[in-house]
Amino acid sequence: MTVTDRIALDPFGSDIPAESARLRALGPVVPVELPGGIPAWAPTGYDVLKELILDPQVSKDPRKHWRLWPEISEHPSWGWILGWVGVINMLSAYGPDHTRLRKLVAPSFTHRRTEAMLPRVTAITGELLDAMAKAGADGSVVDLRAALAHPLPMRMICELFGVPDEMRDDTAALIAAIMDTSDPSPEHAASVQERIGTVLGGLIAYKVEHPGDDMTTELIRVRDEDGDRLGDEELLHTLLLVIGAGFETTVNLIGNAVVALLTRPVQLAAVRSGTIGWDAVIDETLRVHPSIASLPLRFAVSDLKVGDVTIAAGDAIITTYAAAGLDPARYGPDAAVFDAARGADDHLSFGIGVHRCIGAPLARAEALAALPALFDRFPGLRLAVGAQELRQVPSFIAFGWQEVPVRLGV
């Protein structure tokens, strides 16, 4: 196929596994069209994606390396991408700039810091399970996403960054709006950009007046004492990245793991008996149903050869984690089947190389606290609807469920 034969990605992410399979049948890297008509390349397998992620000739800085960056204003329907590549933080930095920004945030996500947060993770999990028990005591349906999967990582990241209670709903709504790729309208894009300034600018202003022992206060201190290390816009956009990525991906990880186990009772029994470990459940969830299916964007610094295809310098590339995890060439003909006994811990869902997710240890720790506690507390837990009735969040980026209705079986 030629570059003019671009495949339009489903902006609702209605069936990401099926879409990944269709693209894979067309070749190792396929020209696609993102919502609003943005042209890009989509790797369709594990090896190609890994190679591109690790290639130093692949950048994340659109200002330096995206040929179409100067044209964004000419395409109103492209405005939504600014929430992903128009920001100035680790997600859109390359080389020394990325190293500088990552070093500022890294202290919040060290192994020691994560270990120190575990008692709080356990305490919050217990509180949320108590509330679930009360809500579902009479057999009522409980939305597991709203009751546990969302509030646990949200509360943890807000405590880490000092987000006060009264700002948390607006913060969560902002991240949900950025993840929603179903509306490429200029109005939606403008609303998101305005809310970034309002919500996170409001957080910065609050922490200036009410400093505390939290990461937002620390980043403000760095900005004020050494503007060469962190500028105003970088501060705003760094908070957007670490707060958003610090909870939204874990929401989907917990929800996806619960659905996978509830629809596979034999595997759930093996997990509950200890035959299969919870780490294996998490890795298999991240492989088959990664919290982020595709992440925009990376850019070719020079011409790149992938098989018979040339990705021209300046072209955009999406990182296709879902396609990589479902690649039969890597995981065999049953790659699309969830099997926690598979023991595959080589997935790319937290990234790899210098851009590996800095919050991966915290996300794993939260899931390792929530999942066994949930199934120990409610051994009769079951879905309240058929799995086919679950609704994917409206996004080709996020990979998760809008609600996970369950009955506790108490």
Side-chain angles (χ1 to χ4, degrees):
M1 63 187 304
T2 66
V3 175
T4 56
D5 300 322
R6 293 191 177 274
I7 306 299
L9 298 184
D10 177 7
F12 291 88
S14 304
D15 193 343
I16 290 170
E19 184 173 66
S20 297
R22 287 195 297 271
L23 293 175
R24 190 177 300 110
L26 298 174
V29 61
V30 176
V32 296
E33 186 177 277
L34 308 190
I38 300 172
W41 291 93
T44 64
Y46 182 100
D47 289 340
V48 171
L49 178 62
K50 182 177 180 180
E51 180 180 340
L52 289 172
I53 290 176
L54 294 177
D55 192 333
Q57 291 302 301
V58 175
S59 166
K60 297 193 80 173
D61 189 335
R63 293 165 179 81
K64 294 178 181 176
H65 300 121
W66 190 17
R67 177 169 35 84
L68 299 180
W69 174 254
E71 300 180 19
I72 286 185
S73 61
E74 301 171 19
H75 301 274
S77 62
W78 292 12
W80 68 270
I81 201 69
L82 292 175
W84 294 94
V85 305
V87 293
I88 304 177
N89 55 33
M90 290 185 294
L91 193 65
S92 60
Y94 176 70
D97 285 335
H98 171 262
T99 301
R100 170 177 58 86
L101 292 170
R102 189 177 178 98
K103 283 183 176 179
L104 293 176
V105 178
S108 290
F109 297 98
T110 62
H111 177 74
R112 179 178 296 180
R113 186 71 175 264
T114 300
E115 288 288 318
M117 289 190 285
L118 291 182
R120 188 67 185 134
V121 173
T122 302
I124 293 175
T125 299
E127 293 174 19
L128 295 172
L129 293 179
D130 287 345
M132 282 183 64
K134 187 176 296 185
D138 61 353
S140 297
V141 173
V142 177
D143 178 8
L144 183 98
R145 186 184 196 277
L148 177 65
H150 190 283
L152 171 60
M154 182 65 182
R155 285 175 62 177
M156 286 304 303
I157 203 70
C158 286
E159 289 185 9
L160 183 60
F161 282 84
V163 181
D165 291 348
E166 62 270 21
M167 293 186 179
R168 294 183 182 184
D169 286 348
D170 287 343
T171 301
L174 167 63
I175 302 306
I178 291 175
M179 290 288 181
D180 185 346
T181 59
S182 65
D183 182 4
S185 70
E187 294 77 17
H188 176 72
S191 172
V192 168
Q193 292 301 309
E194 180 182 1
R195 289 159 72 182
I196 290 173
T198 301
V199 174
L200 297 177
L203 172 61
I204 293 169
Y206 177 86
K207 298 308 295 185
V208 168
E209 293 295 322
H210 305 88
D213 181 18
D214 57 73
M215 196 57 196
T216 301
T217 298
E218 174 61 19
L219 290 173
I220 291 170
R221 184 193 64 76
V222 172
R223 178 200 64 177
D224 292 346
E225 294 182 3
D226 188 356
D228 290 339
R229 293 180 66 206
L230 188 68
D232 287 341
E233 195 172 23
E234 290 175 331
L235 169 61
L236 186 76
H237 293 160
T238 293
L239 290 173
L240 175 67
L241 172 62
V242 292
I243 292 175
F247 84 89
E248 181 66 26
T249 52
T250 313
V251 173
N252 293 334
L253 170 56
I254 294 172
N256 294 344
V258 169
V259 171
L261 291 176
L262 291 182
T263 53
R264 294 164 180 86
V266 173
Q267 289 190 53
L268 176 56
V271 173
R272 300 210 65 230
S273 71
T275 304
I276 298 174
W278 285 106
D279 271 308
V281 171
I282 290 170
D283 282 323
E284 185 69 351
T285 302
L286 290 168
R287 184 189 72 81
V288 176
H289 215 118
S291 301
I292 297 295
S294 296
L295 188 63
L297 283 169
R298 296 178 186 236
F299 312 96
V301 176
S302 59
D303 288 357
L304 304 171
K305 286 288 290 183
V306 179
D308 296 330
V309 175
T310 298
I311 301 176
D315 280 3
I317 305 164
I318 59 173
T319 45
T320 45
Y321 300 117
L326 299 172
D327 184 4
R330 181 72 180 189
Y331 297 108
D334 65 342
V337 176
F338 182 96
D339 180 5
R342 187 189 303 267
D345 60 359
D346 59 344
H347 60 79
L348 303 175
S349 300
F350 282 133
I352 191 171
V354 297
H355 284 281
R356 178 173 168 80
C357 176
I358 203 168
L362 179 59
R364 183 178 287 272
E366 290 169 344
L368 283 173
L371 293 171
L374 171 71
F375 284 99
D376 285 347
R377 183 71 174 271
F378 307 115
L381 189 72
R382 64 188 188 277
L383 286 176
V385 298
Q388 70 280 0
E389 298 177 60
L390 296 174
R391 299 180 299 154
Q392 154 77 7
V393 294
S395 178
F396 81 92
I397 296 173
F399 200 5
W401 308 112
Q402 294 185 41
E403 306 95 12
V404 182
V406 297
R407 295 189 191 274
L408 306 183
V410 293

PDB file of all heavy atoms in Angstrom, residues 169-203:
ATOM      1  N   ASP A 169     -11.702  16.631  41.535  1.00  0.00           N
ATOM      2  CA  ASP A 169     -12.695  16.312  40.507  1.00  0.00           C
ATOM      3  C   ASP A 169     -12.352  17.009  39.194  1.00  0.00           C
ATOM      4  O   ASP A 169     -12.442  16.403  38.116  1.00  0.00           O
ATOM      5  CB  ASP A 169     -14.098  16.705  40.964  1.00  0.00           C
ATOM      6  CG  ASP A 169     -14.657  15.754  42.012  1.00  0.00           C
ATOM      7  OD1 ASP A 169     -14.058  14.677  42.221  1.00  0.00           O
ATOM      8  OD2 ASP A 169     -15.684  16.103  42.628  1.00  0.00           O
ATOM      9  N   ASP A 170     -11.979  18.283  39.266  1.00  0.00           N
ATOM     10  CA  ASP A 170     -11.615  19.025  38.050  1.00  0.00           C
ATOM     11  C   ASP A 170     -10.363  18.442  37.406  1.00  0.00           C
ATOM     12  O   ASP A 170     -10.251  18.399  36.173  1.00  0.00           O
ATOM     13  CB  ASP A 170     -11.388  20.506  38.369  1.00  0.00           C
ATOM     14  CG  ASP A 170     -12.685  21.255  38.646  1.00  0.00           C
ATOM     15  OD1 ASP A 170     -13.762  20.735  38.275  1.00  0.00           O
ATOM     16  OD2 ASP A 170     -12.632  22.348  39.240  1.00  0.00           O
ATOM     17  N   THR A 171      -9.431  18.000  38.226  1.00  0.00           N
ATOM     18  CA  THR A 171      -8.204  17.390  37.695  1.00  0.00           C
ATOM     19  C   THR A 171      -8.525  16.099  36.968  1.00  0.00           C
ATOM     20  O   THR A 171      -8.038  15.853  35.853  1.00  0.00           O
ATOM     21  CB  THR A 171      -7.210  17.121  38.835  1.00  0.00           C
ATOM     22  OG1 THR A 171      -6.904  18.352  39.503  1.00  0.00           O
ATOM     23  CG2 THR A 171      -5.915  16.521  38.295  1.00  0.00           C
ATOM     24  N   ALA A 172      -9.357  15.253  37.564  1.00  0.00           N
ATOM     25  CA  ALA A 172      -9.741  13.993  36.923  1.00  0.00           C
ATOM     26  C   ALA A 172     -10.500  14.252  35.626  1.00  0.00           C
ATOM     27  O   ALA A 172     -10.286  13.556  34.614  1.00  0.00           O
ATOM     28  CB  ALA A 172     -10.593  13.160  37.879  1.00  0.00           C
ATOM     29  N   ALA A 173     -11.378  15.237  35.626  1.00  0.00           N
ATOM     30  CA  ALA A 173     -12.153  15.548  34.422  1.00  0.00           C
ATOM     31  C   ALA A 173     -11.248  16.056  33.302  1.00  0.00           C
ATOM     32  O   ALA A 173     -11.474  15.754  32.123  1.00  0.00           O
ATOM     33  CB  ALA A 173     -13.223  16.592  34.752  1.00  0.00           C
ATOM     34  N   LEU A 174     -10.223  16.823  33.656  1.00  0.00           N
ATOM     35  CA  LEU A 174      -9.273  17.313  32.655  1.00  0.00           C
ATOM     36  C   LEU A 174      -8.550  16.148  31.982  1.00  0.00           C
ATOM     37  O   LEU A 174      -8.448  16.093  30.750  1.00  0.00           O
ATOM     38  CB  LEU A 174      -8.257  18.251  33.316  1.00  0.00           C
ATOM     39  CG  LEU A 174      -7.029  18.607  32.475  1.00  0.00           C
ATOM     40  CD1 LEU A 174      -7.421  19.377  31.223  1.00  0.00           C
ATOM     41  CD2 LEU A 174      -6.019  19.410  33.310  1.00  0.00           C
ATOM     42  N   ILE A 175      -8.067  15.202  32.765  1.00  0.00           N
ATOM     43  CA  ILE A 175      -7.337  14.070  32.194  1.00  0.00           C
ATOM     44  C   ILE A 175      -8.265  13.225  31.318  1.00  0.00           C
ATOM     45  O   ILE A 175      -7.877  12.767  30.240  1.00  0.00           O
ATOM     46  CB  ILE A 175      -6.715  13.212  33.306  1.00  0.00           C
ATOM     47  CG1 ILE A 175      -5.781  14.059  34.175  1.00  0.00           C
ATOM     48  CG2 ILE A 175      -5.961  12.031  32.707  1.00  0.00           C
ATOM     49  CD1 ILE A 175      -4.706  14.801  33.427  1.00  0.00           C
ATOM     50  N   ALA A 176      -9.503  13.035  31.759  1.00  0.00           N
ATOM     51  CA  ALA A 176     -10.467  12.275  30.955  1.00  0.00           C
ATOM     52  C   ALA A 176     -10.711  12.961  29.616  1.00  0.00           C
ATOM     53  O   ALA A 176     -10.839  12.298  28.573  1.00  0.00           O
ATOM     54  CB  ALA A 176     -11.776  12.110  31.720  1.00  0.00           C
ATOM     55  N   ALA A 177     -10.769  14.295  29.617  1.00  0.00           N
ATOM     56  CA  ALA A 177     -11.002  15.039  28.377  1.00  0.00           C
ATOM     57  C   ALA A 177      -9.831  14.892  27.415  1.00  0.00           C
ATOM     58  O   ALA A 177     -10.014  14.800  26.197  1.00  0.00           O
ATOM     59  CB  ALA A 177     -11.243  16.511  28.697  1.00  0.00           C
ATOM     60  N   ILE A 178      -8.619  14.850  27.947  1.00  0.00           N
ATOM     61  CA  ILE A 178      -7.446  14.677  27.084  1.00  0.00           C
ATOM     62  C   ILE A 178      -7.418  13.271  26.491  1.00  0.00           C
ATOM     63  O   ILE A 178      -7.061  13.076  25.330  1.00  0.00           O
ATOM     64  CB  ILE A 178      -6.159  14.963  27.890  1.00  0.00           C
ATOM     65  CG1 ILE A 178      -6.084  16.450  28.240  1.00  0.00           C
ATOM     66  CG2 ILE A 178      -4.914  14.557  27.106  1.00  0.00           C
ATOM     67  CD1 ILE A 178      -4.924  16.812  29.133  1.00  0.00           C
ATOM     68  N   MET A 179      -7.808  12.282  27.284  1.00  0.00           N
ATOM     69  CA  MET A 179      -7.820  10.900  26.808  1.00  0.00           C
ATOM     70  C   MET A 179      -8.899  10.649  25.761  1.00  0.00           C
ATOM     71  O   MET A 179      -8.787   9.745  24.931  1.00  0.00           O
ATOM     72  CB  MET A 179      -8.033   9.946  27.991  1.00  0.00           C
ATOM     73  CG  MET A 179      -6.861   9.843  28.936  1.00  0.00           C
ATOM     74  SD  MET A 179      -5.499   8.926  28.188  1.00  0.00           S
ATOM     75  CE  MET A 179      -4.304   8.963  29.536  1.00  0.00           C
ATOM     76  N   ASP A 180      -9.961  11.431  25.775  1.00  0.00           N
ATOM     77  CA  ASP A 180     -11.084  11.252  24.866  1.00  0.00           C
ATOM     78  C   ASP A 180     -10.686  11.737  23.470  1.00  0.00           C
ATOM     79  O   ASP A 180     -10.500  12.925  23.249  1.00  0.00           O
ATOM     80  CB  ASP A 180     -12.291  12.036  25.382  1.00  0.00           C
ATOM     81  CG  ASP A 180     -13.550  11.811  24.555  1.00  0.00           C
ATOM     82  OD1 ASP A 180     -13.446  11.268  23.431  1.00  0.00           O
ATOM     83  OD2 ASP A 180     -14.641  12.177  25.024  1.00  0.00           O
ATOM     84  N   THR A 181     -10.535  10.804  22.535  1.00  0.00           N
ATOM     85  CA  THR A 181     -10.138  11.176  21.173  1.00  0.00           C
ATOM     86  C   THR A 181     -11.301  11.098  20.194  1.00  0.00           C
ATOM     87  O   THR A 181     -11.110  11.102  18.980  1.00  0.00           O
ATOM     88  CB  THR A 181      -8.998  10.269  20.681  1.00  0.00           C
ATOM     89  OG1 THR A 181      -9.431   8.893  20.716  1.00  0.00           O
ATOM     90  CG2 THR A 181      -7.759  10.434  21.551  1.00  0.00           C
ATOM     91  N   SER A 182     -12.517  11.008  20.729  1.00  0.00           N
ATOM     92  CA  SER A 182     -13.678  10.846  19.854  1.00  0.00           C
ATOM     93  C   SER A 182     -14.171  12.164  19.269  1.00  0.00           C
ATOM     94  O   SER A 182     -15.012  12.165  18.373  1.00  0.00           O
ATOM     95  CB  SER A 182     -14.829  10.185  20.630  1.00  0.00           C
ATOM     96  OG  SER A 182     -15.293  11.028  21.677  1.00  0.00           O
ATOM     97  N   ASP A 183     -13.666  13.272  19.764  1.00  0.00           N
ATOM     98  CA  ASP A 183     -14.130  14.589  19.313  1.00  0.00           C
ATOM     99  C   ASP A 183     -12.941  15.448  18.901  1.00  0.00           C
ATOM    100  O   ASP A 183     -12.312  16.095  19.740  1.00  0.00           O
ATOM    101  CB  ASP A 183     -14.910  15.282  20.438  1.00  0.00           C
ATOM    102  CG  ASP A 183     -15.461  16.639  20.013  1.00  0.00           C
ATOM    103  OD1 ASP A 183     -15.298  17.012  18.828  1.00  0.00           O
ATOM    104  OD2 ASP A 183     -16.035  17.342  20.870  1.00  0.00           O
ATOM    105  N   PRO A 184     -12.602  15.470  17.599  1.00  0.00           N
ATOM    106  CA  PRO A 184     -11.469  16.273  17.148  1.00  0.00           C
ATOM    107  C   PRO A 184     -11.842  17.733  16.833  1.00  0.00           C
ATOM    108  O   PRO A 184     -11.083  18.428  16.158  1.00  0.00           O
ATOM    109  CB  PRO A 184     -11.020  15.540  15.882  1.00  0.00           C
ATOM    110  CG  PRO A 184     -12.298  14.996  15.317  1.00  0.00           C
ATOM    111  CD  PRO A 184     -13.181  14.663  16.507  1.00  0.00           C
ATOM    112  N   SER A 185     -12.991  18.170  17.320  1.00  0.00           N
ATOM    113  CA  SER A 185     -13.445  19.518  16.983  1.00  0.00           C
ATOM    114  C   SER A 185     -12.531  20.573  17.589  1.00  0.00           C
ATOM    115  O   SER A 185     -11.949  20.378  18.665  1.00  0.00           O
ATOM    116  CB  SER A 185     -14.872  19.735  17.482  1.00  0.00           C
ATOM    117  OG  SER A 185     -14.905  19.794  18.898  1.00  0.00           O
ATOM    118  N   PRO A 186     -12.402  21.718  16.941  1.00  0.00           N
ATOM    119  CA  PRO A 186     -11.591  22.808  17.497  1.00  0.00           C
ATOM    120  C   PRO A 186     -12.111  23.268  18.856  1.00  0.00           C
ATOM    121  O   PRO A 186     -11.325  23.679  19.713  1.00  0.00           O
ATOM    122  CB  PRO A 186     -11.726  23.917  16.442  1.00  0.00           C
ATOM    123  CG  PRO A 186     -12.108  23.212  15.182  1.00  0.00           C
ATOM    124  CD  PRO A 186     -12.927  22.036  15.604  1.00  0.00           C
ATOM    125  N   GLU A 187     -13.424  23.191  19.046  1.00  0.00           N
ATOM    126  CA  GLU A 187     -14.001  23.637  20.317  1.00  0.00           C
ATOM    127  C   GLU A 187     -13.537  22.755  21.473  1.00  0.00           C
ATOM    128  O   GLU A 187     -13.203  23.244  22.556  1.00  0.00           O
ATOM    129  CB  GLU A 187     -15.531  23.629  20.231  1.00  0.00           C
ATOM    130  CG  GLU A 187     -16.118  24.640  19.250  1.00  0.00           C
ATOM    131  CD  GLU A 187     -15.997  24.223  17.796  1.00  0.00           C
ATOM    132  OE1 GLU A 187     -15.749  23.014  17.535  1.00  0.00           O
ATOM    133  OE2 GLU A 187     -16.125  25.096  16.910  1.00  0.00           O
ATOM    134  N   HIS A 188     -13.517  21.444  21.236  1.00  0.00           N
ATOM    135  CA  HIS A 188     -13.057  20.522  22.270  1.00  0.00           C
ATOM    136  C   HIS A 188     -11.579  20.761  22.578  1.00  0.00           C
ATOM    137  O   HIS A 188     -11.173  20.815  23.746  1.00  0.00           O
ATOM    138  CB  HIS A 188     -13.257  19.078  21.817  1.00  0.00           C
ATOM    139  CG  HIS A 188     -12.735  18.058  22.778  1.00  0.00           C
ATOM    140  ND1 HIS A 188     -13.339  17.790  23.989  1.00  0.00           N
ATOM    141  CD2 HIS A 188     -11.629  17.247  22.731  1.00  0.00           C
ATOM    142  CE1 HIS A 188     -12.646  16.860  24.639  1.00  0.00           C
ATOM    143  NE2 HIS A 188     -11.614  16.515  23.895  1.00  0.00           N
ATOM    144  N   ALA A 189     -10.780  20.930  21.527  1.00  0.00           N
ATOM    145  CA  ALA A 189      -9.351  21.159  21.723  1.00  0.00           C
ATOM    146  C   ALA A 189      -9.101  22.455  22.493  1.00  0.00           C
ATOM    147  O   ALA A 189      -8.265  22.498  23.407  1.00  0.00           O
ATOM    148  CB  ALA A 189      -8.643  21.213  20.370  1.00  0.00           C
ATOM    149  N   ALA A 190      -9.840  23.504  22.143  1.00  0.00           N
ATOM    150  CA  ALA A 190      -9.666  24.783  22.831  1.00  0.00           C
ATOM    151  C   ALA A 190     -10.074  24.677  24.294  1.00  0.00           C
ATOM    152  O   ALA A 190      -9.427  25.256  25.182  1.00  0.00           O
ATOM    153  CB  ALA A 190     -10.485  25.868  22.127  1.00  0.00           C
ATOM    154  N   SER A 191     -11.144  23.911  24.551  1.00  0.00           N
ATOM    155  CA  SER A 191     -11.596  23.725  25.927  1.00  0.00           C
ATOM    156  C   SER A 191     -10.533  23.016  26.753  1.00  0.00           C
ATOM    157  O   SER A 191     -10.259  23.401  27.907  1.00  0.00           O
ATOM    158  CB  SER A 191     -12.898  22.922  25.940  1.00  0.00           C
ATOM    159  OG  SER A 191     -13.254  22.562  27.261  1.00  0.00           O
ATOM    160  N   VAL A 192      -9.907  21.986  26.171  1.00  0.00           N
ATOM    161  CA  VAL A 192      -8.868  21.247  26.895  1.00  0.00           C
ATOM    162  C   VAL A 192      -7.693  22.160  27.214  1.00  0.00           C
ATOM    163  O   VAL A 192      -7.191  22.182  28.343  1.00  0.00           O
ATOM    164  CB  VAL A 192      -8.410  20.024  26.075  1.00  0.00           C
ATOM    165  CG1 VAL A 192      -7.136  19.441  26.679  1.00  0.00           C
ATOM    166  CG2 VAL A 192      -9.501  18.974  26.036  1.00  0.00           C
ATOM    167  N   GLN A 193      -7.254  22.926  26.230  1.00  0.00           N
ATOM    168  CA  GLN A 193      -6.115  23.815  26.464  1.00  0.00           C
ATOM    169  C   GLN A 193      -6.431  24.853  27.537  1.00  0.00           C
ATOM    170  O   GLN A 193      -5.587  25.163  28.395  1.00  0.00           O
ATOM    171  CB  GLN A 193      -5.723  24.512  25.161  1.00  0.00           C
ATOM    172  CG  GLN A 193      -5.132  23.596  24.113  1.00  0.00           C
ATOM    173  CD  GLN A 193      -3.876  22.893  24.601  1.00  0.00           C
ATOM    174  OE1 GLN A 193      -2.944  23.520  25.105  1.00  0.00           O
ATOM    175  NE2 GLN A 193      -3.835  21.575  24.457  1.00  0.00           N
ATOM    176  N   GLU A 194      -7.646  25.372  27.524  1.00  0.00           N
ATOM    177  CA  GLU A 194      -8.033  26.351  28.545  1.00  0.00           C
ATOM    178  C   GLU A 194      -8.051  25.708  29.932  1.00  0.00           C
ATOM    179  O   GLU A 194      -7.595  26.302  30.913  1.00  0.00           O
ATOM    180  CB  GLU A 194      -9.408  26.922  28.205  1.00  0.00           C
ATOM    181  CG  GLU A 194      -9.896  27.951  29.220  1.00  0.00           C
ATOM    182  CD  GLU A 194     -11.275  28.491  28.903  1.00  0.00           C
ATOM    183  OE1 GLU A 194     -11.873  28.055  27.892  1.00  0.00           O
ATOM    184  OE2 GLU A 194     -11.770  29.350  29.665  1.00  0.00           O
ATOM    185  N   ARG A 195      -8.559  24.476  29.997  1.00  0.00           N
ATOM    186  CA  ARG A 195      -8.660  23.804  31.298  1.00  0.00           C
ATOM    187  C   ARG A 195      -7.292  23.415  31.849  1.00  0.00           C
ATOM    188  O   ARG A 195      -7.091  23.370  33.057  1.00  0.00           O
ATOM    189  CB  ARG A 195      -9.569  22.581  31.175  1.00  0.00           C
ATOM    190  CG  ARG A 195     -11.028  22.984  30.994  1.00  0.00           C
ATOM    191  CD  ARG A 195     -11.863  21.880  30.388  1.00  0.00           C
ATOM    192  NE  ARG A 195     -12.118  20.783  31.297  1.00  0.00           N
ATOM    193  CZ  ARG A 195     -12.795  19.688  30.972  1.00  0.00           C
ATOM    194  NH1 ARG A 195     -13.272  19.562  29.734  1.00  0.00           N
ATOM    195  NH2 ARG A 195     -13.010  18.742  31.859  1.00  0.00           N
ATOM    196  N   ILE A 196      -6.331  23.132  30.975  1.00  0.00           N
ATOM    197  CA  ILE A 196      -4.976  22.857  31.452  1.00  0.00           C
ATOM    198  C   ILE A 196      -4.470  24.062  32.236  1.00  0.00           C
ATOM    199  O   ILE A 196      -3.943  23.934  33.344  1.00  0.00           O
ATOM    200  CB  ILE A 196      -4.031  22.536  30.275  1.00  0.00           C
ATOM    201  CG1 ILE A 196      -4.382  21.178  29.666  1.00  0.00           C
ATOM    202  CG2 ILE A 196      -2.567  22.533  30.756  1.00  0.00           C
ATOM    203  CD1 ILE A 196      -3.600  20.857  28.395  1.00  0.00           C
ATOM    204  N   GLY A 197      -4.642  25.243  31.656  1.00  0.00           N
ATOM    205  CA  GLY A 197      -4.198  26.457  32.334  1.00  0.00           C
ATOM    206  C   GLY A 197      -4.992  26.756  33.592  1.00  0.00           C
ATOM    207  O   GLY A 197      -4.422  27.139  34.620  1.00  0.00           O
ATOM    208  N   THR A 198      -6.291  26.527  33.527  1.00  0.00           N
ATOM    209  CA  THR A 198      -7.150  26.851  34.671  1.00  0.00           C
ATOM    210  C   THR A 198      -6.934  25.889  35.835  1.00  0.00           C
ATOM    211  O   THR A 198      -6.714  26.297  36.974  1.00  0.00           O
ATOM    212  CB  THR A 198      -8.627  26.818  34.250  1.00  0.00           C
ATOM    213  OG1 THR A 198      -8.834  27.771  33.200  1.00  0.00           O
ATOM    214  CG2 THR A 198      -9.521  27.171  35.428  1.00  0.00           C
ATOM    215  N   VAL A 199      -6.984  24.586  35.538  1.00  0.00           N
ATOM    216  CA  VAL A 199      -6.916  23.579  36.607  1.00  0.00           C
ATOM    217  C   VAL A 199      -5.511  23.488  37.188  1.00  0.00           C
ATOM    218  O   VAL A 199      -5.308  23.590  38.405  1.00  0.00           O
ATOM    219  CB  VAL A 199      -7.384  22.206  36.070  1.00  0.00           C
ATOM    220  CG1 VAL A 199      -7.180  21.130  37.135  1.00  0.00           C
ATOM    221  CG2 VAL A 199      -8.852  22.270  35.660  1.00  0.00           C
ATOM    222  N   LEU A 200      -4.526  23.282  36.322  1.00  0.00           N
ATOM    223  CA  LEU A 200      -3.171  23.094  36.832  1.00  0.00           C
ATOM    224  C   LEU A 200      -2.516  24.419  37.191  1.00  0.00           C
ATOM    225  O   LEU A 200      -1.700  24.476  38.122  1.00  0.00           O
ATOM    226  CB  LEU A 200      -2.341  22.322  35.816  1.00  0.00           C
ATOM    227  CG  LEU A 200      -2.877  20.903  35.560  1.00  0.00           C
ATOM    228  CD1 LEU A 200      -2.056  20.198  34.492  1.00  0.00           C
ATOM    229  CD2 LEU A 200      -2.899  20.088  36.841  1.00  0.00           C
ATOM    230  N   GLY A 201      -2.895  25.475  36.479  1.00  0.00           N
ATOM    231  CA  GLY A 201      -2.428  26.807  36.902  1.00  0.00           C
ATOM    232  C   GLY A 201      -2.987  27.149  38.272  1.00  0.00           C
ATOM    233  O   GLY A 201      -2.306  27.749  39.115  1.00  0.00           O
ATOM    234  N   GLY A 202      -4.236  26.717  38.510  1.00  0.00           N
ATOM    235  CA  GLY A 202      -4.837  26.924  39.831  1.00  0.00           C
ATOM    236  C   GLY A 202      -4.120  26.137  40.911  1.00  0.00           C
ATOM    237  O   GLY A 202      -3.953  26.621  42.039  1.00  0.00           O
ATOM    238  N   LEU A 203      -3.689  24.921  40.571  1.00  0.00           N
ATOM    239  CA  LEU A 203      -2.937  24.118  41.540  1.00  0.00           C
ATOM    240  C   LEU A 203      -1.614  24.794  41.886  1.00  0.00           C
ATOM    241  O   LEU A 203      -1.236  24.869  43.067  1.00  0.00           O
ATOM    242  CB  LEU A 203      -2.673  22.723  40.970  1.00  0.00           C
ATOM    243  CG  LEU A 203      -1.728  21.829  41.785  1.00  0.00           C
ATOM    244  CD1 LEU A 203      -2.284  21.573  43.186  1.00  0.00           C
ATOM    245  CD2 LEU A 203      -1.458  20.519  41.053  1.00  0.00           C
TER     246      LEU A 203
END
